[in-house]
Amino acid sequence: MAIHLSNVLFFPITNSLHQSKQSSSSLHFSTSNRHFRGFRLFSTRRTQRQRQSIYEVASRTRDTSSIITDLEKQTKGDEHTETKSAAAEIADSWREIHGSNDWTGLLDPMNDLLRSEIIRYGEMAQSCYDAFDYDPFSKYCGSCRFSRNKFFEQLGMESGGYEVTRYLYATSNINLPNFFKKSRWPKVWSKNANWIGYVAVSNDAKSKLLGRRDIAIAWRGTVTRLEWIVDLMDFLKPVAAAKIPCPNLAVKAESGFLALYTDKDEGCGYSKLSAREQIVTEVKRLVERFAGEEMSITITGHSLGSALAVLSGFDVAEMGVNRLENGRVVPVSVFSFSGPRVGNFSFKERLQELGVKVLRVVNVHDVVPKTPGFLFNESVPTAVMKFAEELPWSYSHVGVELKLDHKISPFLKDTNDPVCAHNLEAHLHLLDGYHGKGRRFVLTSGRDPALVNKACDFLKDHYLVPPNWRQDENKGMIRNKDGRWIQPDRSKFDDHPEDIHYHLKQLGLTFDS
């Protein structure tokens, strides 16, 4: 009998060795992988009791597939009721979920609705990794593997209810060699650009469920290598010097982040506009388009993408792109994963003044959130930080921090591997089982733990999930009509919308065609 991989994960084969390892923890395992297909926002107590009963039965049998079928039948009606209730709840409480009260009372114990929303935006950040072409032997290396209008469909995320409205590009002519990827072939899609994310907007049906039109921005970060940290110039630069119109010259951000966000290559069709110009013009266009509706702007990113998420949230608010003609302000929130410090203490204060809400999800064993600013950071008394603000290595984290610990998950190896500790899928797994400080780790949403090993070697070996298992079939090679193996051509990438000039002019930004 064939047993699905996810079944093995959730109901390991019973034997004396495995029982001895697991009997002390009495774990509750979820039973289905709803990743990329949406998942329930929360579970009722009744459904949790049903699951517990099924799990106990599962521990005494090898026939797991029939148990899963029984569980799905039992909970199908409950899931329909729960989804409707959860949809109503998020429509009523989305402002609190997005930080209007700085997530007070929602993190410990962990609010189920907040957890599901953080995971949902985390999966948007993860989609940037899943869609990126890393292969140096591909002529499309450094680009997105999918066309914009089929982005979520190709990733199996079409039920998420969002439509990509714009791809984001950055020039690779800056000193971040471990972030940018380039093809080894002479004939490539672009010599000087890399795809770094996208802007999406919720469709009508999803907007009705969310209680507002959500403009989402997802930034690509670094998935396996951490060498990009040493690429940073590690000194602070006034954001105003990067042409972000901040009135306070004391507000500074890390120069490498600013360069990635604001630099452009006018000789390249994709990066002739900076990532900054692409973001603010697209957000302005969407805010004007949906001006008659309730709206939110939600930005997410992992690792280096987290720094770009914070910077772009700052920029959108500082530029007033989120302010409508009638004076109404569209709230801006950032869900950051494994992010480094971005700016100094004045940057933190200015971000608070602008009303940008930031929730930073970190693994306490991850080195990246501890950089830059080893000596002078938010842990130092405020008076000292103000005194040291002129130093080029004085940094402060922004927003609210949610600390996770991979060593409390019974699924993960007790390792000090920095790549594992930094992995985004691991963070989403930890979120799925986190219920508050000192509380037992219990998975809730049905995300498959096998996803953790997609790009690392973090799951315990007895779950039989190979490390770094995600790869394209035949590395993207296909057979043509003559039976030869070739790299298929991809449709032409979008560069910049036709109305980009209008929005640049409205924002006071210049454009040289």
Side-chain angles (χ1 to χ4, degrees):
M1 178 189 70
I3 299 179
H4 293 292
L5 178 62
S6 59
N7 299 354
V8 174
L9 275 174
F10 297 128
F11 301 109
I13 295 174
T14 305
N15 57 49
S16 58
L17 176 61
H18 187 70
Q19 284 178 333
S20 66
K21 290 180 178 180
Q22 298 292 345
S23 58
S24 62
S25 57
S26 183
L27 301 177
H28 294 176
F29 299 126
S30 298
T31 60
S32 63
N33 175 17
R34 292 182 175 84
H35 181 62
F36 290 155
R37 292 177 292 159
F39 44 80
R40 290 173 304 142
L41 295 178
F42 64 96
S43 299
T44 61
R45 290 182 179 177
R46 177 187 170 199
T47 304
Q48 293 285 9
R49 286 196 299 270
Q50 289 175 333
R51 282 180 171 171
Q52 182 174 354
S53 176
I54 297 298
Y55 300 144
E56 291 170 352
V57 174
S59 67
R60 299 190 298 271
T61 181
R62 294 172 183 262
D63 192 2
T64 59
S65 57
S66 62
I67 294 171
I68 292 170
T69 302
D70 291 343
L71 178 59
E72 289 175 346
K73 288 179 179 178
Q74 289 181 26
T75 59
K76 185 175 181 181
D78 290 319
E79 288 180 5
H80 180 68
T81 302
E82 291 167 19
T83 302
K84 290 175 65 177
S85 301
E89 186 176 345
I90 193 169
D92 293 336
S93 60
W94 69 266
R95 290 184 180 276
E96 290 77 14
I97 294 299
H98 278 246
S100 62
N101 296 321
D102 294 316
W103 296 282
T104 302
L106 298 179
L107 300 177
D108 191 16
M110 188 69 189
N111 178 273
D112 291 318
L113 191 59
L114 174 59
R115 180 198 297 109
S116 68
E117 285 295 275
I118 299 173
I119 292 176
R120 187 167 70 85
Y121 288 109
E123 289 182 337
M124 287 187 176
Q126 179 64 43
S127 71
C128 293
Y129 292 135
D130 295 339
F132 188 64
D133 191 336
Y134 293 91
D135 187 359
F137 294 100
S138 166
K139 60 184 176 182
Y140 298 104
C141 180
S143 72
C144 180
R145 298 188 295 121
F146 312 120
S147 62
R148 178 173 57 83
N149 59 348
K150 293 200 171 180
F151 180 83
F152 288 123
E153 178 184 342
Q154 291 291 326
L155 290 169
M157 299 173 68
E158 63 271 24
S159 62
Y162 283 75
E163 300 168 357
V164 175
T165 64
R166 181 181 176 86
Y167 276 169
L168 303 173
Y169 301 93
T171 176
S172 56
N173 292 333
I174 62 176
N175 187 32
L176 284 173
N178 290 299
F179 176 72
F180 293 108
K181 303 296 178 183
K182 291 187 177 183
S183 175
R184 291 178 57 170
W185 305 138
K187 186 178 180 181
V188 294
W189 72 283
S190 175
K191 292 183 178 180
N192 299 318
N194 258 210
W195 180 79
I196 57 169
Y198 61 87
V199 181
V201 66
S202 56
N203 60 27
D204 290 346
K206 186 68 174 182
S207 298
K208 184 177 180 180
L209 290 174
L210 295 176
R212 85 279 185 192
R213 185 77 61 172
D214 186 37
I215 300 169
I217 303 167
W219 292 96
R220 177 174 69 84
T222 44
V223 63
T224 55
R225 303 181 63 183
L226 302 184
E227 289 90 341
W228 64 270
I229 297 174
V230 303
D231 294 337
L232 298 176
M233 288 173 271
D234 196 21
F235 67 86
L236 291 159
K237 177 180 179 179
V239 297
K243 300 183 179 179
I244 298 175
C246 179
N248 185 356
L249 294 179
V251 175
K252 299 177 182 179
E254 201 281 325
S255 56
F257 300 152
L258 282 173
L260 180 58
Y261 184 59
T262 62
D263 279 10
K264 55 187 175 181
D265 181 355
E266 295 181 357
C268 173
Y270 297 97
S271 55
K272 62 185 177 184
L273 295 175
S274 66
R276 174 185 181 242
E277 291 168 328
Q278 296 168 53
I279 281 288
V280 294
T281 53
E282 183 63 10
V283 171
K284 177 175 173 57
R285 184 183 73 82
L286 292 172
V287 166
E288 289 180 354
R289 177 182 173 186
F290 300 108
E293 303 181 24
E294 193 75 63
M295 284 182 286
S296 62
I297 299 171
T298 313
I299 313 174
T300 187
H302 168 255
S303 189
L304 185 52
S306 167
L308 294 173
V310 171
L311 264 182
S312 54
F314 177 94
D315 193 17
V316 164
E318 189 70 85
M319 288 283 290
V321 180
N322 63 325
R323 187 178 296 274
L324 301 173
E325 290 184 358
N326 61 7
R328 183 163 63 95
V329 176
V330 178
V332 178
S333 301
V334 176
F335 290 104
S336 154
F337 299 86
S338 306
R341 298 183 180 97
V342 177
N344 63 358
F345 186 78
S346 291
F347 179 87
K348 174 183 178 179
E349 288 187 321
R350 182 58 179 166
L351 196 72
Q352 292 173 336
E353 292 172 5
L354 293 169
V356 178
K357 302 298 182 179
V358 180
L359 180 60
R360 295 183 298 103
V361 180
V362 302
N363 179 356
V364 295
H365 304 287
D366 184 10
V367 66
V368 172
K370 300 177 176 65
T371 61
F374 284 107
L375 294 177
F376 294 99
N377 54 57
E378 66 285 344
S379 63
V380 175
T382 302
V384 177
M385 283 300 293
K386 284 186 173 293
F387 174 78
E389 192 162 47
E390 293 302 317
L391 297 176
W393 51 84
S394 174
Y395 288 82
S396 285
H397 265 310
V398 299
V400 176
E401 185 175 72
L402 173 58
K403 289 184 178 180
L404 305 174
D405 184 349
H406 74 248
K407 296 194 176 184
I408 71 169
S409 169
F411 292 88
L412 304 181
K413 297 175 182 176
D414 186 2
T415 177
N416 294 318
D417 184 341
V419 172
C420 289
H422 189 59
N423 183 270
L424 177 55
E425 283 287 6
H427 280 69
L428 301 182
H429 166 74
L430 293 175
L431 274 168
D432 195 17
Y434 179 77
H435 294 268
K437 295 177 182 177
R439 295 172 185 260
R440 192 158 59 97
F441 187 94
V442 181
L443 296 180
T444 57
S445 76
R447 295 191 88 254
D448 193 339
L451 294 166
V452 171
N453 266 18
K454 185 189 292 184
C456 68
D457 183 7
F458 208 175
L459 282 175
K460 291 179 178 177
D461 290 344
H462 65 250
Y463 290 116
L464 307 179
V465 180
N468 302 293
W469 56 259
R470 190 184 188 283
Q471 55 186 316
D472 295 332
E473 184 178 3
N474 298 320
K475 291 196 172 181
M477 296 287 285
I478 64 169
R479 271 185 171 173
N480 65 10
K481 61 182 181 180
D482 297 323
R484 295 183 180 275
W485 288 92
I486 63 169
Q487 284 190 7
D489 291 329
R490 296 177 188 168
S491 57
K492 185 180 181 298
F493 299 104
D494 297 330
D495 44 22
H496 304 294
E498 293 181 357
D499 60 354
I500 190 75
H501 306 272
Y502 167 78
H503 294 292
L504 286 168
K505 186 176 180 181
Q506 291 292 106
L507 291 168
L509 302 174
T510 59
F511 176 74
D512 298 322
S513 57

